[in-house]
Amino acid sequence: ILPQVSRTFKIPMFNSQIADFYSKVTQQTVNYRKTNNVTRSDFLQLFMQLHDDGQGLTMNQVTANAFLFVIAGYETTAATISHCLFEISRNEEIQSRVQEEIDEVLGGEFNYEKVNDLKYLESCVTETLRKYPVVPILNRVCKHDYQLKGTSYVIPAGTSIIIPIFGMQRDPEVFDDPMTFNPTRSSSNSLIAPFGLGQRACVGARMATFVIKLTISSLLAKYNLQLVHPVTSELTFSPKVVSLTPNEKILIKFTHR
């Protein structure tokens, strides 16, 4: 049995009750697996192994990583689904095209292969992630001295860097009419990076995209969507929340097709 988690585990911008809750849940889960000799093929098992070797993660770090997976795997996906449904709801032409594809490709049967073949819906998801990157900035650390191309400026190794994903993906110098939701827009632009890029890119990107497509296709196969209150202006977002969260209340009416 692992020792109790110390109270040093803290979560910036969250109160102590949340930290205590995740500390308790993680400890109980680890204790249960060890007591009952339960082994599962998941990341928590990997975290436990890294803890047990004595040179890997501390129990506080195990808890922090477990918390991160819950937040990154739930809130971000839910927010992207909400933003995509918002845009589809206020554009009848896009909604009709998505529904036509769902009817043609799925035919009422939902499986991994067929959902992956929903290419136009995937373009809608990509465009949603461009316009509404749920994590609006990325934090990185420069590993080596790096000279910016075309300049004499060098970013020293160890410099903390903030990458403004939200600003990049709405830059009119990069994207024509960036505030227009356009699923036919090319998705090959390297500045569309809602999941990050390279070795530090989101490990759950493919699963998140599939879950978003599965959820939206399940809804649009049965329902037509309409905004209860038409929204003519662009959404504004709360500065108090890490993920992209609208200040406005969005109400969508679901009616059977």
Side-chain angles (χ1 to χ4, degrees):
I1 307 298
L2 293 175
Q4 290 295 316
V5 180
S6 69
R7 296 302 182 185
T8 57
F9 172 60
K10 297 180 181 179
I11 313 173
M13 294 177 289
F14 294 92
N15 62 43
S16 60
Q17 289 181 319
I18 296 176
D20 289 344
F21 171 81
Y22 277 95
S23 295
K24 183 178 179 180
V25 168
T26 304
Q27 183 70 72
Q28 288 176 340
T29 304
V30 169
N31 287 347
Y32 176 84
R33 291 192 183 186
K34 285 185 166 290
T35 301
N36 296 279
N37 197 28
V38 174
T39 301
R40 294 181 177 173
S41 298
D42 59 19
F43 276 99
L44 181 58
Q45 197 70 42
L46 175 61
F47 298 155
M48 290 169 59
Q49 292 172 3
L50 291 172
H51 175 273
D52 290 343
D53 67 14
Q55 298 179 351
L57 300 178
T58 66
M59 195 56 201
N60 279 329
Q61 290 171 329
V62 171
T63 302
N65 277 280
F67 172 79
L68 178 62
F69 268 70
V70 172
I71 296 299
Y74 169 76
E75 175 63 25
T76 54
T77 302
T80 302
I81 290 171
S82 298
H83 289 133
C84 191
L85 291 177
F86 164 68
E87 287 289 353
I88 288 175
S89 297
R90 69 174 182 169
N91 192 311
E92 293 183 6
E93 182 179 346
I94 291 176
Q95 183 172 167
S96 295
R97 186 169 173 181
V98 171
Q99 289 176 321
E100 289 173 3
E101 181 184 57
I102 290 170
D103 295 342
E104 179 181 344
V105 175
L106 298 184
E109 180 183 356
F110 292 82
N111 58 48
Y112 181 79
E113 289 75 18
K114 288 190 174 183
V115 171
N116 271 338
D117 283 338
L118 297 172
K119 301 305 181 184
Y120 184 70
L121 176 55
E122 186 164 329
S123 296
C124 290
V125 174
T126 300
E127 179 67 350
T128 300
L129 290 167
R130 179 199 66 81
K131 188 175 180 182
Y132 305 98
V134 68
V135 180
I137 63 171
L138 296 178
N139 300 93
R140 295 291 186 266
V141 175
C142 188
K143 192 173 182 180
H144 306 287
D145 289 352
Y146 181 82
Q147 183 173 346
L148 295 179
K149 293 181 180 179
T151 74
S152 60
Y153 185 79
V154 175
I155 301 175
T159 301
S160 296
I161 299 172
I162 295 177
I163 304 172
I165 297 296
F166 184 87
M168 286 166 42
Q169 295 183 173
R170 291 185 172 209
D171 188 344
E173 294 186 8
V174 179
F175 299 98
D176 293 333
D177 196 11
M179 301 311 295
T180 296
F181 185 80
N182 178 14
T184 63
R185 191 188 305 272
S186 173
S187 60
S188 61
N189 193 312
S190 62
L191 290 183
I192 300 180
F195 294 110
L197 295 169
Q199 294 181 342
R200 296 295 180 180
C202 175
V203 297
R206 187 168 61 178
M207 186 187 78
T209 301
F210 179 81
V211 170
I212 293 167
K213 290 173 63 178
L214 177 61
T215 302
I216 294 175
S217 60
S218 298
L219 292 172
L220 290 178
K222 296 182 178 181
Y223 300 99
N224 292 319
L225 310 183
Q226 182 181 10
L227 290 176
V228 174
H229 304 293
V231 178
T232 56
S233 60
E234 292 297 331
L235 299 178
T236 60
F237 303 98
S238 172
K240 300 178 181 179
V241 187
V242 176
S243 59
L244 203 65
T245 304
N247 291 312
E248 297 80 5
K249 181 181 290 186
I250 306 300
L251 299 177
I252 299 176
K253 179 181 178 180
F254 287 67
T255 56
H256 282 283
R257 294 177 61 186

